[in-house]
C-alpha cells in the first residue's frame, strides 16, 4: 500500500521478484525488481473504467453520453473459448440478444440471432455490419480477430441504418495494430467434442415385445413369437435377429477439434498494422468421415497518417472454407431413430445389413455419397479521412465483399444383398448422380461522411454527421447435374453420361441513402440526439421506393446536478428515452413486378417444348415493413464505479408485414400477391449489473444480465388466423403452439365396462371417432358442449419464443492463476418433439426408447406414457401433455489458466505465456426431454446434436 503521495517502501530479497502496481480506474503494471532501488511508476488510465468508448452507427461515442440502448462486449468475452462461430459465442452475453437453433454440425453450426424478440414472420435477422461494411456473415469470421461487438437495440441507436435496422444491428470491429515494437502472438487449442444429449433406444427383445403389445392393443395379431424373441435375446441369428444399438453405431465417441491463430501487430505513432492467420479444423461425430470442416482466415489491417491530417486505412480479409457432409444430409441421424434393431450393421457375409423398411444408417453415412461445399470469400475496405480544420472531418470509404462458392453433391448407389443367396434385394441412390452448383456474388458500397465535433465555452458539446451511401448486390448462381457416372468412387460432372440438366438464377438489388445525426450535450449533463436516414431501395416500385426514417432521444445525467455531485454512494446516474422509426426491405427482389417463368409443356414431334407463364403477380404498392420503437432506460454506477447497472423498458411494433391476403377466386393464376398488412409487437425489459474489484493480489469481476420479451401478433390484415399445430392469431405469440389441453391418462374407472362384448365406454368427453380405451389421454372440453373436437377445443398452449434470457459471467485472477466461468439460460419457453424423436409405434418407423417402458398397462396405471397403439396417433396429437418445458440453465463455459511470471517468461523472449483448460456446454439443468438439447427445442429428430467441447490451449506473446 502507498501513502497519499503514492510513495512506498518495500524490502525485497530476490531480484527476480515481480512488483505489481494496480489502482482502481487504471491499468495494472508489472515491474521486474532487478538491481534497481528507485522506481517511478506512472499508471495509465483505464479507458474502459473511466470513459468507455462504444461503437455506434458510423462512429463511436463515450458510453457516458449515450442516449440510445446499446450493449457492447469486448474480445475478452469470447477469446480462448472453443467457439467456431460468433453467433454461438454471443449467446447470453448481452440482454435482449437471443440465439436459438444452433447445432454442432462441423462448419455449419451457426444459430439464429434475434434482438428483442421476433418482429416479423419474414426475415427477422439483424443487420450485420463488419468494420463499417453492412451485410457480412459473422459466422465465418475468426473470433480471435474481434476487438468488440456492439448491439444496437432501439431506434435511437439503429435507425441511422434505415430500411435494414428494424431487427436490430450488430456492429463488429476487428482488431487494429498498436504503436510500439512488433508483437507476435500465437494462440492455439486442441479439443474433443461429445454430444450434449442423445436418445436411448431399446434392444431387439424389448422392441419385439412392445411391438406385439402395441398390435394387440389395437386388435391386431402380434408379429413375433416367443421363439423369435428368444432368438434375438440369445443372438443366434445375426442376419435377421440382431440386437443393434443404432445410436452407438452411428455416433462416434468423440470428434477432435483444433484451432491455431498467429498474429503480428505493431507500428509507430503515425503508422500501425495488424496481420493475422487462423486455422480451424473440425471433425464430425458421425461415422463414415463425411462430416468435417476446415476454415482458413487471413486478415491484414493497416492504418497510417499523412501530413498530420489525412488518415488512411485498409482492411482486407480472406476466407477459404470447406465443409463436407453426407449426400443424405442428416438422414443417417434420423434413420438411426427409425430403423429396427433387428437389422445388423453388416450381415455375416460382410454386406450391409437390411431386412426392409428404413435404410441402414451406417451404410448411408458411409457410402451414400458426399455433400462437399467450398467457398472463397474476400472482404476489403479502404478508408480515407481528412481533417480540414479543427473539429471538421471528411471521410470516404469503399467496401467490397466478393464470394465464389461451389457445391458438389455426389449421390452414390448403395446395394443390399441377401446373406443367404447373394442376390440384390434392395438398392438406393440408383442411378448415381452428381450435381454441381456454383454461387458467385459481389457486394459493393461507397460511404461518404462529413463529421463535426466541437465544444464551445467548455459547456456546449456538439457533434454532427451527414453522409451518403450507395450499395449494390449482384448474385449469379448456376447448377448442372448428370446421372449414371462411370465411377462410383469419384464424383465429377464430366463422368456423368445421362440426364444432363442445368439451371441458373440471377438476383440484383441496390440501395441509395442519405443519413445524418446531431448530438448536443450541455455540460455532459443534458443530452439530446436526433438522427435520420432517407432510403431508396430497388426492391420496391419507383413511386414507393423512397422513405424517411428518423429517431430522437434525450438523456439526463442527474449525478452532474449540484445536489448529487459530492455524494459518496452514487458515482454516475443517467436517464435515457428514445423513440423512432425503422424499416425492413428484406423481401424478394422483384415482388412488385409481374414475372414470367419457363414451364414444360406437351412434347411435339417427340421433342420436349418449353413455354412461359406468369409465375408471380406483382404489387406496385408493396413497400417495406416499418418498425416503431420506444425505449426508456437508466444507467447507474456506485462505489467508485465498481458496481454498474443498466435497465431498459421497450415497446417495439412492426407494421406493414407482408401477407398474402385472399382475393376473389376469379383472379385465377398463381399465388395471391403479397400485401403490406400484418403487425407484431414485442414488449419487455432488460437489466444488466456488473461488479469489479481488486483485493491485494486478487482481482475479480461479475456480470449478470436478464431480459424479458412478450411477443404477440396484433394485426393480420383482416385475414383469418392460420390454424394448425402452429398458429398466427391476433393477441398471441407469433407461430405459437396450438393444441388440446390434456388432463391425464384415463383409467379403467373412467369407463363403463360391458362384460358381454368386453368393451369400455368412456364417461368423459372425447373426440368422436377415436377408439378411446383405458390408458389413452383425456382431453379437456374447453367450450363445455359435452364433446371434444379440434375446432372448438384447442387453444394456444405455448410458444417457442423464450420469454426470459439471462447470463452470468465471472472472472477471477490471483498471482498468475485465472478462473473464468459463464452461465447462460432461458426461461418460460416451450419445445416440441414429434414423430420418431418422441413417440413409439405411431408408424412403422417410430422405434421405442427406454422411456416407453413406463407406458400405461393395467399393471402400471401411474405410467408417464399412454398405452402403446400400433399405427394410431390420436394420443400423440399436439397437446399440453407433449409440450416440453425448454427452459434451461447451462454452464456455457468454464476455463482455468495459469500465466507464467513476467520474469520467467522473459527468459524465453516472451511477454506472456499462458496455458489453460476449458470446457464448453459442460452441464445443463433442464426439464426438457432427456435425449435432445433444449437450445434447439423444436425437432423431429433429424438434427445434428449440440456438442460439449473440452480443450487445452496456449496463449503466447513474443517480443
Amino acid at each position: 500500500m502507498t501513502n497519499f503521495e503514492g510513495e512506498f517502501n518495500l524490502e525485497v530479497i530476490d531480484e527476480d521478484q515481480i512488483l505489481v502496481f494496480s489502482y482502481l480506474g487504471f491499468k495494472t503494471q508489472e515491474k521486474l525488481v532487478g538491481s534497481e532501488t528507485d522506481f517511478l511508476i506512472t499508471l495509465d488510465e483505464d479507458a474502459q473504467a473511466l470513459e468507455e468508448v462504444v461503437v455506434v452507427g458510423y462512429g463511436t461515442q463515450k458510453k457516458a453520453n449515450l442516449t440510445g440502448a446499446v450493449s457492447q462486449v469486448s474480445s475478452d468475452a469470447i477469446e480462448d473459448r472453443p467457439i467456431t462461430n460468433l453467433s454461438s459465442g454471443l449467446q447470453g452475453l448481452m440482454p435482449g440478444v437471443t440465439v436459438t437453433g444452433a447445432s454442432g454440425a462441423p462448419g455449419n453450426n451457426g444459430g439464429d440471432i434475434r434482438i428483442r424478440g421476433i418482429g416479423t414472420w419474414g426475415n427477422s435477422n439483424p443487420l450485420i455490419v463488419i468494420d463499417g461494411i453492412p451485410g457480412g456473415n459473422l459466422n465465418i469470421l475468426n473470433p480471435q480477430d474481434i476487438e468488440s461487438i456492439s448491439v444496437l437495440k432501439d431506434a435511437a441507436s439503429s435507425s441511422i441504418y434505415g430500411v435494414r435496422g428494424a431487427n436490430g444491428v450488430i456492429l463488429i470491429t476487428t482488431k487494429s495494430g498498436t504503436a510500439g515494437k512488433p508483437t507476435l502472438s500465437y494462440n492455439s487449442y486442441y479439443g474433443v467434442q461429445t454430444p450434449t444429449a442423445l436418445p436411448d433406444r431399446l434392444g431387439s427383445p424389448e422392441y419385439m415385445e412392445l411391438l406385439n403389445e402395441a398390435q394387440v392393443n389395437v386388435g391386431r395379431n402380434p408379429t413375433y413369437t416367443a421363439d423369435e424373441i428368444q432368438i434375438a435375446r440369445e443372438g443366434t441369428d445375426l442376419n435377421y435377429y440382431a440386437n443393434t444399438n443404432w445410436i452407438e453405431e452411428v455416433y462416434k465417441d468423440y470428434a477432435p477439434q483444433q484451432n491455431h491463430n498467429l498474429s503480428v501487430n505493431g507500428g509507430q505513432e503515425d503508422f500501425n498494422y495488424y496481420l493475422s492467420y487462423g486455422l480451424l479444423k473440425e471433425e464430425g461425430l458421425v461415422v463414415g468421415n463425411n462430416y468435417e470442416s476446415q476454415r482458413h482466415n487471413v486478415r491484414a489491417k493497416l492504418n497510417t497518417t499523412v501530413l498530420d491530417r489525412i488518415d488512411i486505412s485498409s482492411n482486407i480479409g480472406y476466407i477459404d472454407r470447406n465443409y463436407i457432409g453426407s449426400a443424405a444430409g442428416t438422414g443417417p441421424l434420423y434413420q438411426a431413430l427409425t430403423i429396427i434393431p433387428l437389422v445388423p450393421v453388416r450381415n455375416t457375409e460382410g454386406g450391409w445389413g437390411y431386412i426392409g423398411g428404413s435404410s441402414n444408417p451406417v451404410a448411408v453415412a458411409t457410402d451414400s455419397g458426399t455433400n462437399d461445399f467450398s467457398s472463397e470469400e474476400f472482404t476489403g475496405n479502404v478508408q480515407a479521412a481528412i481533417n480540414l480544420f479543427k473539429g471538421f472531418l471528411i471521410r470516404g470509404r469503399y467496401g467490397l465483399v466478393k464470394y465464389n462458392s461451389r457445391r458438389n453433391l455426389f449421390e452414390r448407389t448403395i446395394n443390399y444383398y441377401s446373406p443367404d443367396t447373394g442376390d440384390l434385394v434392395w438398392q438406393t441412390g440408383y442411378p448415381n448422380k452428381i450435381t454441381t452448383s456454383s454461387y458467385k456474388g459481389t457486394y459493393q458500397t461507397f460511404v461518404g461522411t462529413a463529421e463535426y465535433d466541437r465544444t464551445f465555452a467548455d459547456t456546449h458539446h456538439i457533434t454532427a454527421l451527414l453522409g451518403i451511401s450507395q450499395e449494390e448486390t449482384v448474385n449469379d448462381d448456376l447448377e448442372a447435374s448428370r446421372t449414371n457416372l462411370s465411377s462410383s468412387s469419384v464424383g465429377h460432372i464430366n463422368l456423368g453420361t445421362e440426364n444432363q440438366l442445368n439451371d441458373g438464377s440471377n438476383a440484383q438489388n441496390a440501395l441509395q441513402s442519405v443519413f445524418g445525426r446531431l448530438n448536443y450535450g450541455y455540460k455532459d449533463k443534458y443530452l439530446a440526439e436526433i438522427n435520420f436516414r432517407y432510403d431508396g431501395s430497388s426492391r420496391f416500385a419507383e413511386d414507393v421506393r423512397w422513405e424517411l426514417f428518423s429517431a430522437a432521444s434525450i438523456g439526463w445525467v442527474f449525478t452532474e446536478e449540484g445536489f448529487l455531485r459530492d455524494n459518496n454512494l452514487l458515482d454516475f446516474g443517467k436517464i435515457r428515452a428514445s423513440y423512432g422509426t425503422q424499416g425492413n426491405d428484406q423481401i424478394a427482389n422483384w415482388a412488385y413486378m409481374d414475372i414470367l417463368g419457363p414451364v414444360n409443356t406437351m412434347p411435339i414431334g417427340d421433342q420436349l417444348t418449353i413455354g412461359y407463364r406468369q409465375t408471380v403477380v406483382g404489387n406496385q404498392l408493396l413497400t417495406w415493413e416499418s418498425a416503431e420503437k420506444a425505449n426508456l432506460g437508466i444507467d447507474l454506477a456506485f462505489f467508485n464505479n465498481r458496481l454498474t447497472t443498466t435497465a431498459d423498458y421497450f415497446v417495439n411494433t412492426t407494421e406493414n408485414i407482408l401477407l398474402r391476403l385472399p382475393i376473389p377466386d376469379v383472379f385465377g393464376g398463381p399465388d395471391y400477391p403479397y400485401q403490406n398488412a400484418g403487425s407484431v409487437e414485442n414488449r419487455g425489459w432488460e437489466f444488466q449489473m456488473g461488479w469489479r474489484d481488486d483485493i491485494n493480489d486478487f482481482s475479480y469481476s461479475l456480470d449478470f444480465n436478464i431480459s424479458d420479451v412478450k411477443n404477440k401478433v396484433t394485426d393480420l390484415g383482416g385475414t383469418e388466423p392460420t390454424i394448425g399445430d402452429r398458429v398466427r392469431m391476433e393477441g398471441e405469440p407469433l407461430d405459437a403452439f396450438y393444441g388440446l389441453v390434456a388432463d391425464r391418462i384415463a383409467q379403467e374407472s373412467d369407463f363403463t365396462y360391458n362384460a358381454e362384448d368386453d368393451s369400455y365406454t368412456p364417461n368423459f368427453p372425447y373426440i368422436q371417432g377415436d377408439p378411446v380405451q383405458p390408458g389413452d389421454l383425456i382431453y379437456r372440453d374447453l367450450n363445455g358442449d359435452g364433446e371434444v373436437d379440434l375446432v372448438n377445443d384447442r387453444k394456444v398452449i405455448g410458444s417457442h419464443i423464450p420469454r426470459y434470457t439471462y447470463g452470468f459471467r465471472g472472472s477471477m485472477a490471483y498471482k498468475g492463476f485465472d478462473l473464468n466461468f459463464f452461465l447462460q439460460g432461458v426461461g418460460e419457453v416451450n419445445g416440441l418433439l414429434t414423430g420418431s424423436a418422441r413417440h413409439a409405434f405411431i408408424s412403422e418407423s417410430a422405434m421405442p426408447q427406454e422411456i416407453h417402458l413406463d407406458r400405461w398397462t393395467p399393471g402400471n396405471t401411474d405410467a408417464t406414457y399412454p398405452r402403446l397403439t400400433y399405427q394410431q396417433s390420436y394420443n400423440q396429437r399436439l397437446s399440453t401433455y407433449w409440450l416440453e418445458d425448454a427452459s434451461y440453465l447451462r454452464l456455457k463455459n468454464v476455463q482455468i489458466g495459469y500465466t507464467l511470471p513476467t520474469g520467467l517468461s522473459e527468459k524465453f523472449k516472451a511477454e506472456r505465456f499462458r496455458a489453460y483448460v476449458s470446457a464448453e456446454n459442460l452441464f445443463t439443468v433442464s426439464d426438457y426431454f432427456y435425449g435432445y438439447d433444449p437450445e434447439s427445442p423444436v425437432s423431429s429428430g433429424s438434427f445434428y446434436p449440440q456438442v460439449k467441447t473440452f480443450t487445452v490451449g496456449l496463449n503466447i506473446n513474443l517480443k
Side-chain angles (χ1 to χ4, degrees):
M1 299 291 289
T2 68
N3 61 20
F4 288 105
E5 301 297 327
E7 298 171 337
F8 64 93
N9 191 339
L10 294 175
E11 293 185 7
V12 180
I13 300 176
D14 190 350
E15 294 183 353
D16 291 331
Q17 291 291 315
I18 303 296
L19 299 180
V20 180
F21 301 90
S22 64
Y23 189 76
L24 187 65
F26 293 82
K27 295 181 179 179
T28 299
Q29 288 191 28
E30 295 183 2
K31 185 74 174 179
L32 179 67
V33 173
S35 59
E36 297 185 54
T37 58
D38 295 316
F39 296 92
L40 178 61
I41 305 299
T42 302
L43 297 180
D44 295 327
E45 290 184 351
D46 188 342
Q48 182 176 8
L50 298 180
E51 292 188 349
E52 181 180 353
V53 173
V54 176
V55 178
V56 296
Y58 302 100
T60 60
Q61 290 185 17
K62 288 184 359 181
K63 186 175 181 179
N65 293 340
L66 274 177
T67 53
V70 180
S71 293
Q72 178 171 292
V73 293
S74 58
S75 58
D76 60 0
I78 55 177
E79 280 182 342
D80 304 328
R81 286 178 56 190
I83 57 173
T84 59
N85 62 80
L86 286 180
S87 63
S88 60
L90 285 176
Q91 192 171 31
L93 288 180
M94 292 174 280
V97 180
T98 304
V99 182
T100 60
S103 79
N108 198 20
N109 47 16
D112 297 323
I113 302 176
R114 300 292 181 259
I115 298 175
R116 290 185 168 179
I118 300 176
T120 175
W121 45 78
N123 188 333
S124 296
N125 295 324
L127 174 66
I128 308 298
V129 180
I130 302 172
D131 287 326
I133 304 301
N137 181 358
L138 59 80
N139 285 322
I140 62 176
L141 295 177
N142 181 0
Q144 292 289 328
D145 284 339
I146 305 305
E147 179 67 30
S148 67
I149 301 174
S150 293
V151 177
L152 315 183
K153 295 181 284 190
D154 69 338
S157 59
S158 59
S159 67
I160 199 167
Y161 287 103
V163 298
R164 294 167 304 168
N167 298 318
V169 182
I170 298 177
L171 305 180
I172 298 175
T173 304
T174 59
K175 293 178 179 177
S176 298
T178 55
K181 294 182 179 180
T183 299
L184 177 66
S185 299
Y186 174 69
N187 300 290
S188 175
Y189 67 76
Y190 176 86
V192 294
Q193 299 176 334
T194 61
T196 57
L198 288 174
D200 295 322
R201 285 192 46 179
L202 294 177
S204 291
E206 294 84 359
Y207 158 76
M208 299 164 79
E209 292 171 344
L210 293 187
L211 175 61
N212 285 350
E213 179 183 316
Q215 291 172 326
V216 171
N217 282 345
V218 296
R220 300 179 62 166
N221 293 325
T223 296
Y224 297 106
T225 66
D227 291 339
E228 289 174 319
I229 296 174
Q230 190 62 27
I231 291 173
R233 185 170 281 114
E234 295 175 352
T236 55
D237 185 349
L238 298 180
N239 288 324
Y240 298 102
Y241 294 93
N243 189 9
T244 305
N245 187 325
W246 286 106
I247 300 297
E248 291 185 358
E249 295 293 342
V250 166
Y251 290 98
K252 301 176 184 177
D253 293 334
Y254 66 91
Q257 172 186 330
Q258 57 180 304
N259 183 273
H260 305 275
N261 289 277
L262 189 66
S263 65
V264 180
N265 87 84
Q268 302 172 355
E269 183 177 350
D270 58 356
F271 173 77
N272 61 69
Y273 57 88
Y274 174 83
L275 308 173
S276 73
Y277 167 74
L279 170 64
L280 172 68
K281 296 181 70 174
E282 291 181 276
E283 295 185 20
L285 286 165
V286 182
V287 297
N289 296 320
N290 281 338
Y291 294 84
E292 59 184 12
S293 73
Q294 183 169 281
R295 188 180 72 207
H296 302 267
N297 291 77
V298 178
R299 184 165 295 277
K301 201 169 185 180
L302 307 175
N303 299 281
T304 186
T305 301
V306 180
L307 303 177
D308 292 330
R309 64 169 55 206
I310 302 176
D311 295 323
I312 301 174
S313 64
S314 66
N315 186 359
I316 297 173
Y318 174 75
I319 301 167
D320 186 350
R321 60 190 178 106
N322 169 256
Y323 64 82
I324 301 175
S326 169
T330 56
L333 312 183
Y334 184 69
Q335 289 157 355
L337 299 175
T338 61
I339 188 172
I340 62 176
L342 296 167
V343 180
V345 176
R346 290 188 180 271
N347 58 41
T348 54
E349 298 301 313
W352 291 117
Y354 181 77
I355 294 179
S358 180
S359 296
N360 184 322
V362 177
V364 172
T366 305
D367 285 350
S368 68
T370 57
N371 185 349
D372 189 344
F373 177 85
S374 60
S375 184
E376 297 175 345
E377 284 130 320
F378 171 86
T379 62
N381 70 74
V382 179
Q383 175 179 283
I386 304 175
N387 190 351
L388 294 181
F389 53 85
K390 183 178 180 180
F392 186 72
L393 191 71
I394 293 179
R395 191 188 309 271
R397 174 188 290 125
Y398 170 75
L400 174 67
V401 178
K402 199 173 185 66
Y403 68 85
N404 186 0
S405 306
R406 184 183 181 91
R407 185 185 300 277
N408 276 325
L409 180 62
F410 182 27
E411 301 169 71
R412 297 168 56 188
T413 302
I414 302 177
N415 296 318
Y416 298 93
Y417 298 95
S418 168
D420 302 323
T421 64
D423 295 336
L424 180 66
V425 295
W426 182 248
Q427 194 176 57
T428 61
Y430 180 82
N432 58 14
K433 181 180 180 181
I434 181 75
T435 303
T436 299
S437 303
S438 172
Y439 316 98
K440 295 183 178 181
T442 301
Y443 168 83
Q444 298 183 82
T445 181
F446 171 77
V447 181
T449 59
E451 305 169 29
Y452 183 71
D453 187 345
R454 287 292 301 273
T455 300
F456 299 95
D458 294 327
T459 300
H460 307 280
H461 184 205
I462 296 175
T463 62
L465 169 76
L466 183 65
I468 59 171
S469 69
Q470 167 76 43
E471 302 176 34
E472 180 187 61
T473 301
V474 179
N475 299 322
D476 194 21
D477 301 338
L478 181 66
E479 180 180 289
S481 64
R482 295 183 182 183
T483 63
N484 299 87
L485 279 71
S486 56
S487 171
S488 61
S489 58
V490 179
H492 193 277
I493 194 71
N494 193 48
L495 298 176
T497 59
E498 297 183 19
N499 297 316
Q500 301 183 23
L501 303 174
N502 58 72
D503 194 9
S505 64
N506 180 274
Q508 303 179 29
N509 63 77
L511 183 71
Q512 290 182 338
S513 308
V514 179
F515 56 89
R517 177 172 57 225
L518 177 65
N519 295 81
Y520 172 74
Y522 177 73
K523 293 184 177 181
D524 288 335
K525 183 193 307 184
Y526 307 115
L527 310 170
E529 176 181 308
I530 58 173
N531 54 65
F532 77 93
R533 186 169 181 124
Y534 188 54
D535 275 323
S537 174
S538 67
R539 299 179 190 270
F540 309 115
E542 291 186 10
D543 292 341
V544 293
R545 181 164 293 173
W546 290 88
E547 185 60 73
L548 175 68
F549 300 95
S550 60
S553 58
I554 56 175
W556 174 36
V557 184
F558 54 84
T559 46
E560 290 297 315
E561 300 290 356
F563 59 87
L564 281 175
R565 188 172 298 163
D566 297 325
N567 80 91
N568 296 321
L569 175 65
L570 182 63
D571 303 303
F572 180 82
K574 178 177 62 178
I575 296 175
R576 300 173 279 108
S578 69
Y579 175 82
T581 60
Q582 297 174 271
N584 183 7
D585 71 341
Q586 298 301 300
I587 63 171
N589 286 322
W590 298 292
Y592 67 93
M593 299 176 64
D594 295 332
I595 305 296
L596 300 180
V599 292
N600 293 329
T601 63
M602 295 295 294
I604 300 176
D606 295 328
Q607 294 293 322
L608 187 65
T609 61
I610 301 296
Y612 284 82
R613 69 177 178 89
Q614 186 170 350
T615 57
V616 175
V617 177
N619 179 2
Q620 291 282 328
L621 300 178
L622 192 67
T623 186
W624 36 59
E625 300 174 356
S626 60
E628 296 183 3
K629 298 183 178 181
N631 191 93
L632 181 65
I634 185 170
D635 305 315
L636 302 172
F638 303 87
F639 310 121
N640 292 326
N641 293 311
R642 287 177 294 177
L643 175 64
T644 59
T645 64
T646 296
D648 286 271
Y649 177 80
F650 61 89
V651 179
N652 297 345
T653 303
T654 306
E655 299 179 335
N656 295 323
I657 300 176
L658 299 185
L659 279 172
R660 292 187 188 272
L661 300 182
I663 56 181
D665 292 339
V666 295
F667 167 76
D671 288 338
Y672 302 138
Y674 280 109
Q675 300 183 47
N676 297 103
S679 178
V680 172
E681 179 188 272
N682 289 280
R683 180 188 299 263
W685 52 265
E686 300 170 353
F687 178 75
Q688 187 168 10
M689 180 171 61
W691 173 271
R692 286 161 179 78
D693 197 11
D694 295 325
I695 305 174
N696 298 325
D697 294 330
F698 178 71
S699 63
Y700 67 101
S701 65
L702 301 171
D703 290 280
F704 173 76
N705 73 80
I706 185 171
S707 62
D708 169 25
V709 179
K710 296 179 182 179
N711 173 275
K712 68 176 180 179
V713 176
T714 55
D715 189 5
L716 287 172
T719 62
E720 293 296 322
T722 302
I723 301 297
D725 285 350
R726 310 289 291 275
V727 297
R728 292 174 184 172
M729 181 180 296
E730 292 182 5
E732 301 293 350
L734 182 63
D735 294 332
F737 295 111
Y738 192 71
L740 298 163
V741 177
D743 271 339
R744 55 186 171 84
I745 295 177
Q747 306 297 328
E748 292 181 353
S749 59
D750 296 310
F751 295 79
T752 299
Y753 177 65
N754 188 336
E756 294 183 0
D757 57 3
D758 191 29
S759 65
Y760 288 89
T761 301
N763 298 323
F764 52 84
Y766 65 97
I767 297 177
Q768 295 299 315
D770 286 357
V772 179
Q773 297 289 303
D776 292 336
L777 291 182
I778 297 178
Y779 299 119
R780 211 175 278 173
D781 176 18
L782 296 183
N783 68 347
D785 63 357
E787 64 179 33
V788 177
D789 64 76
L790 299 179
V791 176
N792 300 301
D793 294 305
R794 288 193 296 169
K795 59 178 286 188
V796 171
I797 57 176
S799 173
H800 71 294
I801 302 173
R803 172 78 184 272
Y804 303 101
T805 61
Y806 56 90
F808 179 56
R809 282 194 300 150
S811 177
M812 306 173 191
Y814 178 75
K815 291 185 176 180
F817 291 95
D818 61 85
L819 168 66
N820 299 277
F821 65 86
F822 176 33
L823 294 163
Q824 174 265 328
V826 300
E828 200 168 315
V829 58
N830 299 110
L832 179 66
L833 294 169
T834 58
S836 301
R838 183 66 175 88
H839 302 297
F841 301 123
I842 59 173
S843 67
E844 291 184 353
S845 60
M847 297 295 111
Q849 305 174 35
E850 283 194 10
I851 55 121
H852 297 123
L853 292 175
D854 188 26
R855 77 283 183 199
W856 188 95
T857 65
N860 185 33
T861 57
D862 60 347
T864 57
Y865 196 86
R867 70 187 183 111
L868 300 176
T869 54
Y870 183 66
Q871 293 187 338
Q872 293 183 356
S873 58
Y874 58 89
N875 277 321
Q876 285 74 31
R877 291 188 181 98
L878 177 55
S879 71
T880 53
Y881 200 83
W882 304 118
L883 208 60
E884 301 287 344
D885 180 0
S887 305
Y888 67 87
L889 170 64
R890 167 164 283 168
L891 181 56
K892 197 68 180 175
N893 179 261
V894 61
Q895 185 176 133
I896 301 174
Y898 178 70
T899 303
L900 290 179
T902 304
L904 184 58
S905 61
E906 285 182 343
K907 293 181 180 180
F908 302 98
K909 304 298 182 183
E911 276 188 330
R912 181 175 183 246
F913 189 100
R914 176 177 179 266
Y916 66 89
V917 294
S918 175
E920 193 86 358
N921 296 333
L922 186 59
F923 73 81
T924 305
V925 179
S926 177
D927 290 331
Y928 192 70
F929 188 70
Y930 80 101
Y932 296 87
D933 196 284
E935 284 192 35
S936 302
V938 181
S939 173
S940 62
S942 183
F943 198 84
Y944 196 100
Q946 182 63 271
V947 294
K948 299 178 184 178
T949 307
F950 303 90
T951 60
V952 294
L954 291 174
N955 307 128
I956 303 174
N957 293 348
L958 301 176
K959 293 183 177 180

